[in-house]
Amino acid sequence: MNIETYEEAKKIFLHYNGSYFHMQREEYLEQYMKFNISKKEERKWLKEKVEKILSKMSEIKNINLKYDKYWNILYILTKTLEDNHLLDKTISAFEKDLKYLDIFSINMILEMIHANKKIWKNYKRKLKTVIQQNDISINEIISKEHNKSNGTQFFTEEEVMKGYRKILSELN
């Protein structure tokens, strides 16, 4: 596995959302590190990726694809690039999408944010307001798209609702 150019290095870095761990696991890290990319440049790449995904979010109608995009964004913003401006934009987009997302996706998104205690603490109140102001009682628990992709094959609707109620209790 050779990374020949700066553009390839950038592509690999973004493919793994800036995770050195995942690059190492796939045996790209040593090659990537030879390029001596500055942390500032890496942050710039990650911000560009998040901005690009957010700008196209409203065009995506498939729930499964929307969830995947949110997962990518939140992985970046909670694991490698804490950026309040981009988090605000992401949560605003999430709020607009609540009526389209299934409970499984909403729960997984909230859990991703919850995993970063600092971000959870800072955004807990806003997330609570977002959830309270949107009636998601008519949303599917597990969408047809998720069922088709087998992404939820290990979850029953009861387990999803139990997890959702648990994360909601964390908002209080």
Side-chain angles (χ1 to χ4, degrees):
M1 290 181 223
N2 281 343
I3 303 174
E4 303 285 330
T5 67
Y6 174 87
E7 283 304 313
E8 285 179 59
K10 180 178 179 180
K11 186 176 176 181
I12 293 293
F13 180 81
L14 292 176
H15 175 76
Y16 293 106
N17 292 321
S19 170
Y20 293 153
F21 170 79
H22 292 294
M23 282 189 265
Q24 175 67 39
R25 196 179 68 192
E26 300 293 323
E27 299 179 6
Y28 282 110
L29 185 61
E30 188 177 328
Q31 288 276 325
Y32 174 77
M33 296 307 277
K34 289 179 183 175
F35 283 88
N36 290 321
I37 309 294
S38 71
K39 294 292 176 200
K40 184 177 180 180
E41 185 73 7
E42 289 177 345
R43 288 180 58 79
K44 181 180 151 218
W45 291 347
L46 290 170
K47 283 182 178 186
E48 288 169 357
K49 180 175 182 174
V50 170
E51 289 281 3
K52 185 176 179 181
I53 295 170
L54 282 172
S55 73
K56 296 180 188 277
M57 194 65 92
S58 63
E59 300 166 16
I60 301 168
K61 299 301 176 211
N62 180 303
I63 291 169
N64 201 23
L65 292 176
K66 255 192 201 298
Y67 166 71
D68 288 345
K69 298 298 181 193
Y70 278 114
W71 191 94
N72 260 321
I73 291 170
L74 290 168
Y75 181 88
I76 291 168
L77 293 177
T78 61
K79 303 285 189 215
T80 56
L81 174 76
E82 290 184 22
D83 182 298
N84 289 341
H85 172 71
L86 290 173
L87 275 162
D88 287 339
K89 287 178 80 170
T90 301
I91 291 172
S92 292
F94 174 62
E95 181 175 14
K96 290 175 189 165
D97 286 332
L98 273 176
K99 60 183 164 272
Y100 305 112
L101 294 168
D102 60 358
I103 305 294
F104 171 79
S105 297
I106 294 168
N107 186 50
M108 297 306 284
I109 290 165
L110 291 173
E111 284 185 7
M112 176 73 96
I113 297 168
H114 183 261
N116 183 313
K117 298 303 177 201
K118 178 180 168 191
I119 291 173
W120 182 256
K121 182 180 174 214
N122 292 339
Y123 283 88
K124 190 170 145 177
R125 184 175 295 134
K126 183 172 185 163
L127 288 166
K128 181 178 181 178
T129 302
V130 165
I131 296 296
Q132 288 176 336
Q133 291 178 347
N134 289 276
D135 178 17
I136 60 167
S137 63
I138 59 170
N139 293 37
E140 290 180 286
I141 295 173
I142 300 174
S143 72
K144 292 174 188 81
E145 288 94 342
H146 272 117
N147 276 332
K148 285 179 197 170
S149 70
N150 290 326
T152 58
Q153 65 195 18
F154 302 110
F155 296 99
T156 65
E157 287 190 349
E158 289 171 12
E159 290 169 324
V160 170
M161 290 308 296
K162 182 180 177 183
Y164 180 66
R165 284 189 292 275
K166 182 177 185 287
I167 201 77
L168 285 183
S169 73
E170 296 283 331
L171 289 172
N172 293 320

